[in-house]
C-alpha cells in the first residue's frame, strides 16, 4: 500500500502527490501527518526548510477542511512573498484532483485588487505574508471567524523580520478554539514565547536535535587572510566546476560588489538584495531557478524563502551576525533529501564564531584547505573530460559539418586528438594558475596579517578592495583613556555610524590618537562626534595637520609589491574570461554594518543588555 495512504491521506491526494514524485513520506511528514490529521492538537514542529514541511501541514489541511463551504477555514502565515507563492502552488498541486478547493496567495508587492477579488469569490485556504494580510483585514475584506487552523510557517523568520505585532493582530481576528500549527527551523526564545502565547499544550516534534542543521549538509570552513578572501573564494568556485551555489554576504553593498566583481571576472553570477525592485528580484530568481545563473550572491533578507532545489553549495562569504541565520543560510542546500556543502570563508579571528555555530548545531565543522592551483587545474581538466563524455550530440545539426571536421583531423591519431581537445580549456587554467600562491592562512598568521592589514591599509580582502583617498583625523582620546586600537575603532564606528571596514590606519598615542577615514566619510564623522562626550569630557575631532593621503601611494591598493591578485577563470554565456579581482570599491565599504564585535560605549557591555537576537 502507498505509505501516504497508510498515514491516512485519501486516494485523490495521494495520486496527485505521486505525480509530483512523492513516493515515500519524508521524516517530518511521517511523524506529523498522523498527529495533525486528528485536528485536535496545537503543534510545534522544529524542522529545516527543504524537509517537506509544506506537505506535512498541507496534506492534513486538505483532509480536515470542508470544501463544500466557501469561507476561510485555514490561514497559513509565512515570512516572504516567495514562500507564500511556493506554499500556495504546492497546496494547489496536492489538491489538483479534488473539487472546489480554493487557495489564495496574499502578499505585498502585487495588486491587492486581484487578491481581494479572489477572496470575494470564496476561498478556504489563505496563504499570506503578515503585512498584506493585515491590510486586507483592516479593509474588512475577509472574515476569519470560521478559521479552524492557523499555520505559522518559518516562525523564527517572521519574528526576525519584525512581524510579531502583525501576527498578534491577525490572530486576534481568528476564533479562540482554532488550532495553531507552528513550524520553525530554529527555536530561539522568541519562538518559544509565541508558542506559549498562542498554544495550548502543543504536540512538539523536533526533527534532529534542537537547532541542528540538516544532517545532509557538510560544514566546512577555510581560514584565509582578509586580503585573500576574494581570491580564495574564486579558487573554491573554480575547484567546483559544477557548483550551483548561493553566496551570502552581510550587506547589500557587499553583495553588489562581489557580484559585479565576479561578473567582471567572467563568472556566471548575479546579486539579490533589498535595493532591487520586485521585478528585478523576480528576474534574477528566474534566471537562477532556470540555472542560467551559477552563483547567486544574496543578503540574508533577500534570500529568505528561496526554495530552489539542487543548490550544491552555500558559501558564507561573510559570516552572519546571528547564529540562527547560519542555519537558515545552510538550509538552502541539501533540500529534499539531497546532500550539500555549507562553506565559510573566515579569517582566524572568526574561528570563535565557527566554534559557537558548531556548539549550537551540535556539529563539528571540517577545516578545509584552499586548493592549490594544481588541484584546480586537475579538477577542471576532468570536468572537461566528463563533459565531453556526457555531452548530448545534436546529430541533425552537426551532421552537415562532420565531413569538414573529419577532414581537418584526418592526420591526427585519436590519442593526439583527445590530448589537444582536453588542452583547450586546461591550458587556460594552467596559465592562470601557474605560480598561484598558497592562500591558506595559519591561525596565528591570519590574525597577525589582518592586524597588519589594518595598520597599513594594505587590506585587499574581498572583491571590493581598491584605492581610495583617506583623511587622517585627530581625536583627543588615547591609551590613558584605556583605548587600544580595537576599542577606539569600535568607539569611532558607534559614535559616527561609519563602518569598521572603512576605517584605515589607527595610531593610539597617550592622550590623543589618529585614525584615517575615507574622505567622503569625514563629514559623517565630524557630525557624529558633534557634542560627543567621553566620561564627561568633550571629545574633539580635527583633521590632522598631515592632511589627506592618497592610499594608492601608501598602500599600493589592490596590487602590491608585484604580487599578483588572482582573477577568476569562469564562464559566462559560454565565453571564458579572465581577470583580476580588484575593483575600486572602497567607496562602498562604509555602508557595512561594522562594529559587530566592538566594545560598546553606550554604558553597559553589549552582552549584558537584552538582545533580541543571539549574536556572536
Ligand atoms: P518543503 O520543505 O516543503 O519546501 O519541500 C522541499 C522539497 O521537497 C520540495 O521540492 C518538495 O516538492 C519536495 N518533497 C516534499 N515532500 C516530498 C516527498 N515525500 N517525496 C519527495 N519529495 C518531496
Amino acid at each position: 500500500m502507498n505509505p501516504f495512504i497508510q498515514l491516512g491521506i485519501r486516494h485523490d491526494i495521494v495520486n496527485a502527490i505521486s505525480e509530483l514524485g512523492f513516493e515515500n513520506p519524508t521524516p517530518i511528514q511521517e511523524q506529523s501527518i498522523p498527529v495533525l490529521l486528528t485536528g485536535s492538537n496545537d503543534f510545534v514542529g522544529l524542522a529545516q526548510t527543504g524537509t517537506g514541511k509544506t506537505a506535512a501541514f498541507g496534506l492534513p489541511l486538505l483532509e480536515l477542511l470542508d470544501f463544500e463551504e466557501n469561507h476561510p477555514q485555514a490561514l497559513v502565515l509565512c515570512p516572504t512573498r516567495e514562500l507564500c507563492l511556493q506554499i500556495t502552488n504546492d497546496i494547489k498541486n496536492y489538491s489538483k484532483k479534488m473539487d472546489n478547493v480554493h487557495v489564495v496567495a496574499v502578499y505585498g508587492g502585487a495588486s491587492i485588487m486581484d487578491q481581494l477579488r479572489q477572496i470575494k469569490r470564496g476561498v478556504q485556504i489563505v496563504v499570506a505574508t503578515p503585512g498584506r494580510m493585515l491590510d486586507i483585514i483592516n479593509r474588512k475584506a475577509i472574515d476569519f471567524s470560521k478559521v479552524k487552523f492557523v499555520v505559522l510557517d518559518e516562525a523564527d523568520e517572521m519574528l526576525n523580520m519584525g512581524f510579531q505585532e502583525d501576527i498578534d493582530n491577525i490572530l486576534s481576528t481568528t476564533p479562540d478554539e482554532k488550532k495553531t500549527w507552528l513550524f520553525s527551523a530554529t527555536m530561539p526564545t522568541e519562538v518559544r514565547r509565541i508558542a506559549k502565547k498562542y498554544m495550548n499544550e502543543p504536540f512538539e516534534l523536533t526533527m534532529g536535535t534542537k537547532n541542528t542543521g540538516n544532517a545532509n549538509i557538510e560544514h566546512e570552513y577555510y581560514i584565509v587572510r582578509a586580503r585573500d578572501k576574494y581570491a580564495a573564494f574564486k579558487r573554491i568556485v573554480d575547484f567546483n566546476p559544477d557548483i550551483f551555489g548561493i553566496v551570502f554576504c552581510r550587506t547589500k553593498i557587499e553583495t553588489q560588489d562581489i557580484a559585479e566583481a565576479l561578473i567582471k571576472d567572467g563568472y556566471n553570477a548575479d546579486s539579490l538584495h533589498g535595493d532591487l525592485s520586485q521585478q528585478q528580484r523576480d528576474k534574477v530568481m528566474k534566471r537562477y531557478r532556470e540555472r542560467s545563473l551559477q552563483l547567486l550572491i544574496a543578503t540574508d533578507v533577500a534570500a529568505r524563502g528561496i526554495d530552489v532545489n539542487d543548490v550544491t553549495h552555500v558559501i558564507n562569504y561573510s559570516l552572519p551576525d546571528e547564529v540562527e541565520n547560519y542555519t537558515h543560510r545552510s538550509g538552502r542546500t541539501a533540500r529534499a533529501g539531497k546532500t550539500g556543502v555549507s562553506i565559510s570563508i573566515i579569517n582566524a579571528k572568526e574561528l570563535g564564531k565557527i566554534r559557537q555555530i558548531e556548539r549550537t548545531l551540535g556539529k563539528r565543522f571540517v577545516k578545509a584547505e584552499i586548493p592549490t592551483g594544481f588541484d584546480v587545474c586537475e579538477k577542471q581538466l576532468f570536468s572537461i573530460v566528463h563533459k565531453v563524455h556526457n555531452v548530448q550530440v545534436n546529430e541533425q545539426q552537426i551532421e552537415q559539418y562532420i565531413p569538414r571536421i573529419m577532414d581537418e583531423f584526418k592526420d591526427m591519431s585519436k590519442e593526439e586528438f583527445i590530448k589537444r581537445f582536453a588542452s583547450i580549456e586546461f591550458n587556460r587554467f594552467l596559465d592562470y594558475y601557474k605560480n598561484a600562491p598558497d592562500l591558506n592562512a595559519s591561525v596565528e598568521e591570519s590574525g597577525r596579517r589582518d592586524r597588519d592589514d589594518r595598520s597599513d591599509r594594505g587590506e585587499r580582502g574581498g572583491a571590493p578592495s581598491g584605492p581610495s583617498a583617506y583623511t587622517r583625523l585627530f581625536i583627543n582620546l588615547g591609551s590613558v583613556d584605556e583605548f587600544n586600537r580595537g576599542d577606539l575603532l569600535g568607539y569611532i564606528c558607534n559614535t559616527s555610524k561609519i563602518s569598521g571596514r572603512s576605517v584605515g590606519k589607527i595610531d593610539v598615542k597617550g592622550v590623543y590618537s589618529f585614525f584615517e577615514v575615507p574622505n567622503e566619510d569625514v563629514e559623517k564623522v565630524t557630525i557624529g562626534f558633534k557634542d560627543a562626550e567621553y566620561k564627561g569630557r568633550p571629545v574633539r575631532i580635527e583633521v590632522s595637520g598631515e592632511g589627506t593621503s592618497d592610499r594608492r601611494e601608501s598602500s599600493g591598493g589592490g596590487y602590491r609589491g608585484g604580487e599578483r591578485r588572482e582573477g577568476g577563470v569562469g564562464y559566462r554565456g559560454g565565453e571564458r574570461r579572465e581577470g583580476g579581482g580588484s575593483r575600486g570599491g572602497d567607496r562602498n565599504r562604509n555602508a557595512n554594518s561594522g562594529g559587530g564585535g566592538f566594545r560598546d560605549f553606550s554604558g553597559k557591555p553589549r552582552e549584558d543588555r537584552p538582545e533580541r537576537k543571539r549574536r556572536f
Side-chain angles (χ1 to χ4, degrees), residues 4 17 20-26 28-29 48-57 83 86 90 94 307 309 335-337:
F4 283 100
I17 61 174
L20 298 175
F22 295 16
E23 287 169 12
N24 291 299
T26 64
I28 188 159
Q29 291 162 2
Q48 301 293 309
T49 166
T51 51
K53 63 188 164 57
T54 314
F57 65 77
L83 191 58
Q86 180 67 42
D90 285 352
Y94 308 153
D307 54 357
N309 285 344
R335 291 168 62 82

Side-chain angles (χ1 to χ4, degrees), residues 601-614:
F601 288 83
S602 59
K604 272 178 152 188
R606 170 169 295 193
E607 291 72 22
D608 295 350
R609 284 184 288 125
E611 280 273 17
R612 219 170 65 78
K613 295 173 193 161
R614 183 171 8 172

Side-chain angles (χ1 to χ4, degrees), residues 52 69 95 97 126-127 136 195 213 233-234 245 249 253 290 312 336 357 376 381 400 433 499 508 526 561 565 584 611:
E69 298 287 336
S95 62
K97 295 187 192 288
V126 179
V127 185
I136 288 179
F233 162 59
K234 284 195 300 185
C249 297
I253 303 289
E290 289 171 351
T312 58
I357 303 170
V376 174
L381 173 62
Q400 55 183 315
Y433 275 111
S499 157
V508 178
T526 318
R565 166 189 272 281
E611 280 273 17

Side-chain angles (χ1 to χ4, degrees), residues 24 52-53 76 141 151 164 197 247 282 298 384 396 465 479 497 502 504 523 548 551 564 593 609 611:
N24 291 299
K53 63 188 164 57
V76 181
V151 181
Q164 168 83 66
K197 182 167 169 187
V247 181
D282 288 348
I384 300 159
Q396 252 184 352
S465 77
S479 58
K497 304 283 175 277
S502 62
E523 198 185 2
T548 50
R551 305 307 307 169
R564 189 171 70 107
S593 60
R609 284 184 288 125
E611 280 273 17

